[in-house]
């Protein structure tokens, strides 16, 4: 069973930075695609970034050039570095993981493809 623990959210001013962490417990970390999603009040959950088993990254257009997903295999942790934050980035951020067996380039950021989720961490960006 995979368990994910997200942390690192907080309050930051527009233009600032935060780094989210997602600690992975369970077997076969190296077999999993890991992703970050976010959900703002009244909106659907949206994919933000994904790192697959080949170290390829995928980003939502709204965060390209500002957010970076990375991992530390030894620590079994996935990070989301968020720079140049905007008020519209305010949301609860979730990490998710799924064995990278059946993805293709079109669905790494689709929430429905993931079965393992961490609890959310709130990011609030003030203007």
């Amino acid at each position: 069973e995979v368990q994910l623990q997200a942390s690192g959210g907080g309050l930051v001013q527009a233009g600032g930075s935060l780094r989210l962490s997602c600690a992975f417990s369970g077997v076969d970390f190296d077999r999993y695609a890991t992703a970050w999603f976010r959900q703002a009040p009244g909106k659907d959950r949206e994919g933000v970034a994904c790192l697959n088993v080949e170290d390829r990254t995928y980003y939502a257009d709204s965060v390209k050039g500002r957010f970076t997903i990375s991992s530390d295999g030894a620590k079994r942790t996935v990070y989301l570095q968020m720079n140049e934050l905007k008020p519209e980035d305010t949301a609860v951020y979730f990490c998710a993981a799924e064995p990278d067996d059946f993805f293709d380039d079109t669905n790494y950021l689709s929430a429905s493809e993931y079965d393992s989720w961490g609890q959310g961490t709130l990011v609030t960006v003030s203007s």
Side-chain angles (χ1 to χ4, degrees):
E1 179 182 357
V2 171
Q3 292 186 331
L4 304 171
Q5 180 74 35
S7 61
L11 173 64
V12 63
Q13 288 189 328
S17 298
L18 279 176
R19 188 177 78 160
L20 306 183
S21 299
C22 178
F24 179 105
S25 62
V27 299
D28 296 333
F29 174 74
D30 291 342
R31 285 189 52 231
Y32 281 75
T34 51
W36 288 95
F37 292 81
R38 67 186 180 186
Q39 189 164 18
K43 295 189 176 181
D44 292 335
R45 190 168 298 191
E46 65 167 336
V48 175
C50 178
L51 179 66
N52 77 359
V53 295
E54 296 177 341
D55 286 336
R56 291 186 65 178
T57 56
Y58 302 81
Y59 295 98
D61 288 343
S62 59
V63 306
K64 282 180 182 176
R66 300 189 298 122
F67 290 13
T68 303
I69 188 170
S70 63
S71 70
D72 183 330
K75 295 182 178 179
R76 298 159 67 87
T77 300
V78 177
Y79 303 100
L80 186 68
Q81 178 66 42
M82 306 186 294
N83 298 328
E84 300 175 36
L85 282 161
K86 305 176 181 180
E88 51 263 44
D89 294 318
T90 295
V92 177
Y93 284 70
F94 300 88
C95 58
E98 185 68 21
D100 197 355
D101 296 330
F102 302 109
F103 286 99
D104 59 41
D105 285 347
T106 67
N107 61 2
Y108 276 107
L109 295 182
S110 298
S112 61
E113 300 295 330
Y114 293 82
D115 288 331
S116 299
W117 291 84
Q119 90 294 355
T121 185
L122 177 63
V123 173
T124 304
V125 185
S126 63
S127 57

